[in-house]
Amino acid sequence: MSLQGIGFLFQCYLVLAAAMYFDLGEQEQKCIIEEIPEDMLVTGYFLLEPWEMNALSHSPHLGVTVTVRDPNHEVLMSKRYGKFSKFTFTSHASGQHYLCFQTNSTRFSVFAGERLKLHLDVQMGEHSIDPVPDKTKDNMKNLENSLRHLVDQMLFITRQQEYQREKEEVFRQIGENTNSKVLWWAMVQTSVLLTVGFWQMKRLKDFFIAKKLV
């Protein structure tokens, strides 16, 4: 493995140290849901390894196919990767995005029973700080990268706030519509009960008159 590949693998391990993981079988697909604002750059890091590290893997060339769907279930990206890599995409609409991961295996389904562990970390927004200190010895370059990173994080926070406000507005509108419907339904029920009560009283009065009880 080249020095660049080793560096990328080490970076993936650092990024995925605090990320989530879940089990994934051969030829199996699992999806997660992420709430993503509009026009947001999303970067995902993943690492696929055997569930039991001491066990011998029967699929040394196993990879992962990553498929991303927007809130309308339209495919934003679908690409095949190796055991460790990163993927990026930009959201075009706010809402729930579906990130699906499927292992690639050439074995028949009856023999594809190996359990695997997929480490995953999804980051939103720009991440422009260079993790290698040797490449940023210049103080001005360091400061420029830090400021750019802060600006990107501020834009990310602003978009998150705007997205939350949009969701709050939608929920408020739904709540107002529900309250209005409940009020009208209560008024209809009251009107029906009063109408039935008056009708019953009139029928009872007519019955008493017909029987000459009053």
Side-chain angles (χ1 to χ4, degrees), residues 134-151:
D134 295 338
K135 295 182 180 180
T136 56
K137 292 182 179 180
D138 187 6
N139 292 332
M140 293 301 297
K141 189 67 176 179
N142 260 332
L143 181 60
E144 180 182 353
N145 289 337
S146 299
L147 290 175
R148 187 180 298 114
H149 180 73
L150 290 175
V151 170

Side-chain angles (χ1 to χ4, degrees), residues 34-42 70-71 76 89-97 124-125 155-164 166-167:
E34 289 285 342
E35 292 278 354
I36 303 176
E38 183 182 2
D39 195 24
M40 177 62 62
L41 176 65
V42 180
D70 64 6
L76 289 180
F89 67 92
T90 302
S91 60
H92 302 303
S94 301
Q96 293 183 342
H97 287 67
M124 301 183 193
L155 291 176
F156 168 67
I157 293 173
T158 302
R159 290 172 182 171
Q160 283 281 20
Q161 290 177 340
E162 292 177 354
Y163 176 55
Q164 294 300 327
E166 291 176 0
K167 290 183 63 177

